[in-house]
Amino acid sequence: MPRDIIAEGLASGRWDVRDAAGFAENLTLEADVVIVGTGAGGGVTAEILAMAGLKVVLLEEGGLRYASRDFKLSEAEAYPTLYQESAGRQTKDKGITILQGRTVGGSTTVNWTSSFRTPPATLAHWQSQFGLTELSTQKMQPWFERAEQRFGVIDWQVAPNVNNQVLMNGADRVGIHWAPIRRNVKGCLNLGYCGMGCPANAKQSMLVTTIPSALDKGATLLAHVRAERVLHEGDRATGVECVAMDWAGIYPTGRKVTVKAKTVVLSGGAINTPALMLRSKLPDPHGLIGKRTFLHPVNISGALMPFKVEGWNGAPQSIYSDHFIDQRPLEGDMGYKLEVPPLHPVLTGITMSGFGEKHRALMGHFDRLQVVLALLRDGFHEQSQGGTVELKSDGTPLLDYPISDYVWRGMRDSYLTMAEIQFAAGATRVMPIHEDVAADGYASWAEAKAAIKNLPLEILRAKVVSAHVMGGAGMAAKAEDGVVDQYGRFHHLQGLYVMDGSVFPTSIGANPQLSIYGLVARNASALATTLTRKDVVWPA
């Protein structure tokens, strides 16, 4: 069994880790900084501020689960314990299913390790449209380099699994470019179950990197606490008020947790961070909190191959194509990135269209099933403005995400691209995941091309999913254009910062984890200097 840094840290007796599910009384703590969320933003912020000698308290709604005890390659155990709403979070109209982590380490504990820097075109758009002059490719480069070193981002040296090879071979045959995906792993066993928590601790998530580092330096971690509101007096944030959750993370126990601090950092991820800001009734003179929340809407195409694919084996994502990102200007037709997802029985069964005997027959060929996905770049065009975070009657978040005709056109284009690639790679049947397409799909590229051009593209007919949440507390130089500035400082309250993907003013156009690491490392380092008057060198 590989070394388990979490089990060792807990056994050492040096860490201050508490599970609020077992609290018998209310709890009040004081700290220099309280951080809501332990994912990409919260983990990096905690490590840097703890290095600066600050007393840090981390709050996590999910539980503390780790490799040697909890990660067993089991979908049935992983989805209820590691994901928001048991991996069933959906948009207001139920049209988009969203995979988002809820566990110590957040989505970094369950993502598929794909690591991309923020595309230069995205940074250039932010500079010209939102006044983010400090976020040029040149100025961000050292922060991405440092994040890549810290989290072991490497060129993947192992041959892609068959699922990825099909994308690679098909792209070659239709004449579009592809490239290998860099991954943040050390000692990866190539198991293919990254989405269920890495059982080998090879994935360099926050769970095994920054959070243990922060705990070693005196930080406190409270698991199973839901942040209810940011406390503020006058023009200054003063702490966070929370409720303790039960062991399953579903119901409040009735105990309250209050952390008083002069600096409050929100890192709960897009959807959750703007929802907390709304519940807190923070000043919002321009009505921007929760607006321009972005997903990468994803549509999917399945294919039956005449050979075994076994899409559950091997690194989930190791090949991508940005051909339709690079060839399409931001102001033109919608761009999309092509990747493949891992295939596991539960996730595949609930995602594929159709039901009854045809669905059973399709799943009977599970070992020959290949899937390509198109990740659509949202937020750059006047007809792709993303969604809005609202609050349900119980105060929990709800994302309203209407899909415009412009976005639907991008999906139709990508259905066609994916089908052409799959047939070119040798598929015997191709099935765009859409309720009007039979479970056994189409038998030829010509048949698929004609049918896809006439598919009715509507919500709940075309299957749309996403695993990337961004925006809702967007950054901009001017307060009338954004919720925070380019260092994550809230425009309307002293001592309140947002350090997660919520600050992105558009989607990224690529898997966002490395973009969050780099930007948050920059901003948290600046915050550490502000609070301590000392420079902190983030470890590689």
Side-chain angles (χ1 to χ4, degrees):
M1 178 68 197
R3 179 187 177 201
D4 193 328
I5 194 170
I6 295 294
E8 291 177 8
L10 292 172
S12 72
R14 295 181 290 105
W15 284 3
D16 185 6
V17 178
R18 314 181 203 183
D19 196 320
F23 285 0
E25 299 177 346
N26 296 340
L27 175 69
T28 299
L29 295 175
E30 294 190 8
D32 295 317
V33 183
V34 56
I35 302 172
V36 180
T38 62
V44 171
T45 303
E47 180 176 51
I48 291 172
L49 297 186
M51 286 174 59
L54 295 162
K55 176 57 184 174
V56 173
V57 173
L58 279 156
L59 306 175
E60 170 56 48
E61 184 181 19
L64 173 58
R65 304 182 191 281
Y66 50 96
S68 61
R69 190 185 69 180
D70 301 301
F71 299 159
K72 303 175 181 175
L73 317 183
S74 166
E75 288 185 282
E77 294 182 32
Y79 298 148
T81 57
L82 303 180
Y83 288 81
Q84 289 285 352
E85 302 178 38
S86 298
R89 172 167 274 187
Q90 292 183 313
T91 49
K92 187 175 184 178
D93 57 11
K94 314 295 184 188
I96 307 176
T97 299
I98 303 165
L99 293 178
Q100 188 175 10
R102 190 190 66 160
T103 183
V104 173
S107 292
T108 73
T109 301
V110 295
N111 70 20
W112 301 338
T113 75
S114 301
S115 301
F116 297 91
R117 296 185 185 184
T118 312
T122 298
L123 291 173
H125 182 80
W126 292 356
Q127 291 179 73
S128 65
Q129 299 300 311
F130 300 95
L132 304 175
T133 55
E134 294 298 313
L135 302 185
S136 67
T137 299
Q138 183 179 23
K139 290 181 178 178
M140 287 303 299
Q141 179 176 335
W143 294 104
F144 291 140
E145 290 175 346
R146 204 172 297 182
E148 288 165 347
Q149 293 172 11
R150 178 69 182 100
F151 301 120
V153 176
I154 57 169
D155 295 329
W156 183 232
Q157 299 297 319
V158 178
N161 68 7
V162 178
N163 201 28
N164 282 274
Q165 286 177 23
V166 169
L167 172 59
M168 180 176 67
N169 294 337
D172 273 340
R173 290 169 188 168
V174 302
I176 66 173
H177 65 258
W178 57 268
I181 293 177
R182 305 188 83 204
R183 307 182 65 217
N184 61 318
V185 293
K186 290 181 179 178
C188 178
L189 302 180
N190 207 28
L191 296 174
Y193 284 73
C194 306
M196 276 141 259
C198 181
N201 279 333
K203 184 196 312 184
Q204 298 300 289
S205 68
M206 301 305 97
L207 178 65
V208 300
T209 56
T210 57
I211 292 172
S213 171
L215 292 170
D216 283 340
K217 296 172 179 60
T220 295
L221 170 63
L222 302 181
H224 284 131
V225 289
R226 174 180 290 168
E228 285 294 299
R229 66 187 182 100
V230 175
L231 303 174
H232 51 100
E233 296 176 7
D235 65 350
R236 183 164 196 92
T238 58
V240 179
E241 186 176 83
C242 315
V243 294
M245 305 300 291
D246 63 8
W247 296 107
I250 298 175
Y251 300 109
T253 65
R255 305 302 177 196
K256 290 185 177 180
V257 175
T258 304
V259 182
K260 298 178 180 178
K262 291 183 178 178
T263 301
V264 176
V265 176
L266 306 185
S267 302
I271 299 179
N272 299 323
T273 287
L276 174 56
M277 299 177 86
L278 291 171
R279 283 198 301 274
S280 305
K281 301 185 186 305
L282 298 179
D284 186 19
H286 304 289
L288 297 176
I289 295 175
K291 303 289 175 53
R292 290 184 62 83
T293 299
F294 293 101
L295 306 171
H296 287 134
V298 167
N299 58 331
I300 310 163
S301 184
L304 284 181
M305 307 305 293
F307 44 78
K308 286 194 174 183
V309 176
E310 298 183 344
W312 59 88
N313 271 330
Q317 295 187 317
S318 55
I319 298 294
Y320 75 101
S321 173
D322 268 354
H323 180 88
F324 294 96
I325 292 279
D326 297 338
Q327 297 294 317
R328 295 186 168 195
L330 293 173
E331 65 276 13
D333 291 337
M334 191 160 213
Y336 48 89
K337 187 183 198 77
L338 299 173
E339 298 174 343
V340 308
L343 302 180
H344 298 287
V346 174
L347 193 60
T348 305
I350 61 175
T351 301
M352 301 301 285
S353 56
F355 54 89
E357 176 56 28
K358 285 191 173 181
H359 189 277
R360 188 207 64 77
L362 176 65
M363 292 302 291
H365 299 297
F366 186 53
D367 61 342
R368 293 195 291 118
L369 183 62
Q370 194 275 336
V371 173
V372 178
L373 61 81
L375 182 156
L376 277 72
R377 179 179 60 188
D378 205 359
F380 297 87
H381 191 278
E382 62 180 8
Q383 295 180 43
S384 63
Q385 297 296 308
T388 300
V389 173
E390 305 172 353
L391 298 178
K392 299 178 188 175
S393 59
D394 64 356
T396 57
L398 182 64
L399 177 61
D400 185 18
Y401 208 92
I403 298 179
S404 69
D405 290 343
Y406 171 82
V407 178
W408 284 124
R409 286 196 296 275
M411 289 195 188
R412 191 185 303 280
D413 291 347
S414 58
Y415 274 139
L416 288 164
T417 298
M418 292 187 285
E420 184 178 14
I421 287 172
Q422 289 169 313
F423 278 118
T428 57
R429 310 286 304 191
V430 168
M431 300 82 68
I433 309 306
H434 186 291
E435 291 302 320
D436 290 24
V437 177
D440 57 353
Y442 310 121
S444 69
W445 166 226
E447 181 188 0
K449 186 176 182 180
I452 291 170
K453 287 183 176 179
N454 292 300
L455 271 181
L457 294 184
E458 300 172 2
I459 209 73
L460 300 178
R461 294 176 87 169
K463 184 75 174 184
V464 185
V465 299
S466 185
H468 303 157
V469 294
M470 298 152 282
M475 54 184 165
K478 298 178 181 177
E480 55 265 38
D481 297 328
V483 176
V484 300
D485 70 11
Q486 53 194 325
Y487 283 91
R489 293 179 292 228
F490 183 50
H491 280 301
H492 309 292
L493 210 58
Q494 297 293 317
L496 181 61
Y497 296 77
V498 179
M499 303 264 188
D500 62 20
S502 302
V503 303
F504 296 159
T506 65
S507 75
I508 293 292
N511 308 50
Q513 69 164 338
L514 182 54
S515 292
I516 300 173
Y517 298 149
L519 180 63
V520 169
R522 167 190 179 272
N523 292 355
S525 297
L527 175 58
T529 300
T530 298
L531 296 178
T532 67
R533 301 186 184 278
K534 296 185 296 186
D535 290 333
V536 176
V537 179
W538 194 36

